[in-house]
Amino acid sequence: MGVPGSFPGSPGKPHTPVMDREEVDRALGRLAAEYEAIETSLLALQDHAGRRLLEGAELTGVTKDRWAATEQSITVLWAHFDAYTAALTAARELRARRRWPSPDDLAELTELLRGARVTVPGAATTGTAQFGGPARLSEQFSLEELVGRMNTLYAAALDVIVSADAVWSALPARIDLLAAELRRTLSLARSVGVRPGEHPAGDDLERITYELTQLRAQVVSDPLAFWSPDADRSAAPGGGRPDTARYDRAARALEDARREIEAVLDVRQDAERRLMQLRDVLSRADRTLTEARQARGEVLAKIAASEVPAVSGPPTALHEQLTTAAEYRRHAQWHRLSPLLDSLEQRAEDELHRARESLTAVTAPLAVRAELRGRLDAYKAKAARHGLAEDPLLTERYDVARRMLWSAPCDLRAAEHAVLRYQQAVAEALLPPDPGPGPADGPQGEA
């Protein structure tokens, strides 16, 4: 055989002239070489590991149907080979009778070697139907036609065997490796409390376990259902690749579940630090709200005619959920602790931000009063630097503004107005004096 899956030789012509002695000898030599190649190929097919597996397996589905047909084809193939062997033997014996064959011998040899003289008994009723003709009790072939028929039967049988063997060689081993990874992931999941019905990753692992079990059983019993042949049907037998779509989906699902479980594991390893940070953030929020409430009382007592926003109470719900988180940690319920901590961390930061905004809003009037006091003192210092400390108007306006700003309750609007009046007085006092009219501006004399 020249190429796996194909016997050598090509179909003969339907009618040829009588061969001479040299042509007969060359034909017998070529057919003898073909015989050796065919026999070697058939024995290799008989001993193929894929064939032994198919014969011993409990097959289902597509593989069961195709292997039943293939077994019949192999039986037909051997029947063809036996007929080929008998015809070739008869031709050899006829040629061996005389060194110089007679014209009758040459005519007989030509008919044996090129004519449709090979009878395949019962031929393979299956084989005939496979080639599109009606089933017959026997068929007549030339030797070269018989080689062509065996080529086709051999290629079809080898395609089934090689394809099934390729799937069995690839997928079950990969599924077993994935199943081992699944067992390790399940063990890790149990250690962190991820179980079916309690955590989505636990449900995912249960589905993956079922899928891998089913997938392996189906691959073993029906490997051809997981074979994707090449688009080019003229390719060599076994052309194609195992279909790994279901395996790939299971592998991706397992990877997603493993990442989810590792996230839960990270929560377990980092839970105490995160809980301490949460307690610290909520404690700062509580202290800020307490400070805001105290500042509100101070503002109400010291600032008149000012609307002071109310201050909310402590975040009771967050404290209760923090207690729940601590309970989850104590009882190793990491799968529940993980999403709760994620939620609490964001809400605690929001609560601290809200408390700070409340303190800022409450103390705004005090900040305004402090700014007015600072501005008043700054202008007083400016006036003193310019020798206006004893100016009566400035002193009067300063005292008015100071009494308003340092009295309780302080009317901020009136105090601000008083500070502005003092600022204006200082600005006016610092203006350069008006020089008065000059000589050119006096009355004009008579000419």
Side-chain angles (χ1 to χ4, degrees), residues 91-236:
R92 283 172 170 173
E93 290 175 350
L94 177 58
R95 175 66 185 88
R97 289 178 188 173
R98 300 179 181 87
R99 181 178 180 184
W100 301 99
S102 66
D104 291 340
D105 290 341
L106 291 175
E108 179 67 15
L109 284 167
T110 299
E111 186 64 21
L112 283 173
L113 296 176
R114 293 185 175 176
R117 290 284 300 275
V118 184
T119 301
V120 181
T125 303
T126 303
T128 323
Q130 179 180 348
F131 286 93
R136 303 174 191 173
L137 295 179
S138 64
E139 286 187 86
Q140 298 292 124
F141 300 98
S142 70
L143 287 174
E144 293 185 357
E145 288 172 344
L146 198 60
V147 170
R149 179 66 64 88
M150 285 191 289
N151 266 332
T152 304
L153 290 170
Y154 176 82
L158 187 63
D159 183 67
V160 170
I161 292 171
V162 170
S163 300
D165 188 49
V167 173
W168 278 332
S169 298
L171 271 177
R174 295 175 68 180
I175 294 171
D176 290 343
L177 289 174
L178 192 61
E181 177 64 24
L182 174 62
R183 287 191 293 273
R184 289 191 291 270
T185 305
L186 284 169
S187 176
L188 181 62
R190 286 191 292 269
S191 72
V192 295
V194 174
R195 297 180 178 84
E198 297 181 4
H199 192 280
D203 298 332
D204 292 340
L205 289 175
E206 189 173 49
R207 284 193 293 271
I208 295 168
T209 301
Y210 176 79
E211 169 65 5
L212 286 184
T213 302
Q214 292 296 108
L215 179 60
R216 195 184 194 287
Q218 291 170 13
V219 166
V220 169
S221 67
D222 191 9
L224 295 181
F226 297 88
W227 181 252
S228 296
D230 290 334
D232 182 8
R233 288 291 186 171
S234 64

Side-chain angles (χ1 to χ4, degrees), residues 415-432:
E416 184 178 13
H417 181 66
V419 171
L420 286 173
R421 290 182 68 217
Y422 178 69
Q423 288 179 232
Q424 292 171 353
V426 171
E428 290 172 358
L430 293 177
L431 288 175

Side-chain angles (χ1 to χ4, degrees), residues 354-424:
R354 184 180 65 82
R356 288 170 173 168
E357 286 184 335
S358 180
L359 177 61
T360 300
V362 165
T363 57
L366 294 177
V368 171
R369 187 185 67 173
E371 191 273 332
L372 290 173
R373 285 177 173 179
R375 198 193 315 170
L376 180 65
D377 288 341
Y379 273 89
K380 180 184 178 183
K382 183 177 182 179
R385 286 197 303 272
H386 289 83
L388 300 175
E390 303 301 327
D391 185 281
L393 179 61
L394 294 182
T395 301
E396 177 189 356
R397 291 191 178 183
Y398 174 79
D399 289 341
V400 171
R402 191 178 191 284
R403 279 196 303 271
M404 289 184 177
L405 287 172
W406 267 268
S407 63
C410 171
D411 186 337
L412 285 179
R413 290 188 181 88
E416 184 178 13
H417 181 66
V419 171
L420 286 173
R421 290 182 68 217
Y422 178 69
Q423 288 179 232
Q424 292 171 353

Side-chain angles (χ1 to χ4, degrees), residues 76-89:
V76 172
L77 182 56
W78 277 103
H80 281 53
F81 180 68
D82 290 342
Y84 181 87
T85 303
L88 181 59
T89 300

Side-chain angles (χ1 to χ4, degrees), residues 327-364:
E327 286 295 314
Y328 285 161
R329 180 186 177 279
R330 188 174 301 111
H331 294 94
Q333 294 179 313
W334 311 111
H335 60 290
R336 293 181 178 174
L337 180 59
S338 176
L340 181 57
L341 284 179
D342 292 340
S343 172
L344 281 176
E345 285 170 341
Q346 182 58 53
R347 292 170 62 193
E349 289 293 338
D350 293 343
E351 181 63 26
L352 178 58
H353 180 69
R354 184 180 65 82
R356 288 170 173 168
E357 286 184 335
S358 180
L359 177 61
T360 300
V362 165
T363 57

